[in-house]
Amino acid sequence: MKDAVRIQSDDFSQDEEILALKASSRRMGGIATFVGCARDFSEGRDVAEISFDAYGSMAVSEMKQLRSDAIAKFGLLDARIVHRICTVTAGDNIVFIAAGAEHRVAALEACRWMIDELKLRVPIWKKEVTPQGEAWVVPHP
Amino acid sequence: MKDAVRIQSDDFSQDEEILALKASSRRMGGIATFVGCARDFSEGRDVAEISFDAYGSMAVSEMKQLRSDAIAKFGLLDARIVHRICTVTAGDNIVFIAAGAEHRVAALEACRWMIDELKLRVPIWKKEVTPQGEAWVVPHP
Amino acid sequence: MIKVLFFGPVVERIGKNALEVGYRDDMTLQELRDELALHYPLAFEIVCFFAVNGQHVRDLALPLADNSEVTFMAKFSGG
Amino acid sequence: MIKVLFFGPVVERIGKNALEVGYRDDMTLQELRDELALHYPLAFEIVCFFAVNGQHVRDLALPLADNSEVTFMAKFSGG
């Protein structure tokens, strides 16, 4: 089975990830997921493609820590985080978060918390290629 | 392509549902999903299987209304709701909710709202089969 | 004729999933409910939602049309 | 020797993704930052996170050990 936390170039399968998540417990009643994907338009500009840079070793260790923190904070049965580092175009998947818990509230809250925290903690940067040139994305507060 | 709102006996594929959701727009940056599944233990009792009864025609029309309401309320690009009506055992999928939006907050909030509302609005009832016999599930307030 | 439907936990307490009640002029949902509750008190203990022709109805004063499909439902537990 | 790493938008402003700085006794993260900021002011305008050996560091008074890996990072935009 694939690691619960990964950085990879290839796309991921939600079915495969959910199956792996479920394998951890037969008490899981709720699974919340978030998929972030590439848009063809951002901040008023067309976007042809998005590429990434990452501090790979730190990004993976931060994602592992984030997963453990979420499991402890929300009493999850399991959680998974996958981030692609490659060049993507509109519609392509970028990030996958899954939280599994006995009941839905914990799963839903943990999923939201994980994607919010990932954006704050994990050293990955996004560059948009537009008809006007390339630009690193400046996140809003 | 399958309908965005369905009641069915068969299992569903998250990959297939997400692909269908994404097909509606290239502006979709965030997709939140919720999967409810059968647990082997509930309210202190082992659960061998779960079966369902539904007021089918009303359930589908309520689910369609719920999807439209969510799209309008949260400015979603698309949403999908699938509920299985059959007999399931631990680990099996029961319900699938997906919300796709330009940005993650709308998708995450809509997903949570839809599963909460589904439980309040949609005429479906769950019966648990335990070693002590069968019992219709009484939802907590 | 009014067609009355039951589902899930209500069926179990009524012993059947449908029955028919003769239509009377100016009949309201409240009257139909009270009449059935007299015959099936245990079932109506758990009834808390009402639908007419597949639409949620909150106001029991609603007059019923002939040939309506009326449903008395327990709290939902899907999802 | 201190190994200094840069990523993404910072690389673009520095012109390279790594450099080495001689180690001095009692050297702090603040001193290293100030020294580099003098040479690369544009890059340090956007630096807002610091890591030492792959761990977030918030206190710039942290003394650096020889052979540390130090990273000066712009706001993250992953996810």
Side-chain angles (χ1 to χ4, degrees), chain B residues 53 55 83 121 124-126 136, chain C residues 8 12 56 69 74 77-79:
Chain B
D53 194 15
Y55 183 5
H83 202 300
R121 287 194 200 182
I124 298 177
W125 297 268
K126 207 182 256 149
W136 290 98
Chain C
E12 203 164 81
H56 279 291
E69 179 179 286
S77 57

Side-chain angles (χ1 to χ4, degrees), chain A residues 53-55 58 62 83 95 119-126 136 139, chain D residues 5 7-9 12 51 54 56 69 71 73-79:
Chain A
D53 194 14
Y55 183 4
M58 181 176 169
E62 285 293 322
H83 201 300
V95 65
K119 287 173 179 274
L120 296 175
R121 290 193 198 182
V122 180
I124 298 178
W125 297 268
K126 206 181 257 151
W136 289 98
Chain D
L5 303 180
F7 295 94
E12 202 165 83
H56 279 291
E69 180 179 285
T71 316
M73 302 177 286
K75 214 176 250 191
F76 310 140
S77 56

Side-chain angles (χ1 to χ4, degrees), chain B:
Chain B
M1 195 182 294
K2 289 176 179 161
D3 284 347
V5 170
R6 308 193 307 277
I7 285 185
Q8 63 187 39
S9 162
D10 292 345
D11 198 8
F12 45 80
S13 153
Q14 282 96 337
D15 283 332
E16 213 175 277
E17 297 299 326
I18 298 283
L19 206 65
L21 189 85
K22 278 184 175 179
S24 66
S25 171
R26 318 255 296 169
R27 298 264 153 108
M28 205 176 278
I31 297 168
T33 78
F34 177 78
V35 177
C37 39
R39 303 161 62 216
D40 67 357
F41 195 78
S42 169
E43 307 281 325
R45 296 168 321 204
D46 290 321
V47 176
E49 57 181 49
I50 297 174
S51 63
F52 295 88
D53 194 15
Y55 183 5
S57 58
M58 180 177 170
V60 169
S61 75
E62 285 293 321
M63 285 159 63
K64 284 184 178 164
Q65 186 60 52
L66 176 54
R67 171 176 176 269
S68 307
D69 290 351
I71 290 173
K73 183 177 167 81
F74 296 93
L76 301 180
L77 294 166
D78 200 8
R80 299 179 75 83
I81 309 174
V82 182
H83 202 300
R84 292 179 73 193
I85 297 292
C86 58
T87 298
V88 297
T89 60
D92 287 348
N93 293 330
I94 294 173
V95 65
F96 174 82
I97 302 272
E102 288 198 50
H103 300 289
R104 75 183 185 285
V105 174
L108 290 160
E109 290 185 350
C111 178
R112 179 166 185 168
W113 184 81
M114 281 195 284
I115 183 63
D116 287 349
E117 284 286 308
L118 180 141
K119 286 172 180 274
L120 294 176
R121 287 194 200 182
V122 179
I124 298 177
W125 297 268
K126 207 182 256 149
K127 184 166 66 175
E128 291 176 346
V129 180
T130 74
Q132 293 79 43
E134 298 185 356
W136 290 98
V137 173
V138 178
H140 296 288

Side-chain angles (χ1 to χ4, degrees), chain A residues 100-112:
Chain A
E102 288 198 48
H103 299 289
R104 75 183 187 284
V105 173
L108 290 159
E109 290 185 350
C111 178
R112 178 164 186 171

Side-chain angles (χ1 to χ4, degrees), chain D:
Chain D
M1 197 74 81
I2 303 285
K3 183 164 189 190
V4 185
L5 303 180
F6 307 108
F7 295 94
V10 180
V11 173
E12 202 165 83
R13 291 177 179 219
I14 297 229
K16 51 192 164 191
N17 59 18
L19 52 80
E20 292 189 335
V21 174
Y23 176 72
R24 297 186 310 269
D25 282 343
D26 304 324
M27 192 180 194
T28 65
L29 183 55
Q30 181 76 57
E31 286 162 18
L32 177 61
R33 185 223 157 265
D34 292 348
E35 190 177 319
L36 290 169
L38 221 59
H39 288 84
Y40 306 103
L42 279 180
F44 276 78
E45 270 176 15
I46 59 167
V47 165
C48 54
F49 296 118
F50 315 93
V52 176
N53 300 323
Q55 302 279 336
H56 279 291
V57 172
R58 268 143 200 116
D59 182 5
L60 287 169
L62 183 84
L64 297 174
D66 197 6
N67 300 311
S68 295
E69 180 179 285
V70 178
T71 316
F72 294 100
M73 302 177 286
K75 214 176 250 191
F76 310 140
S77 56

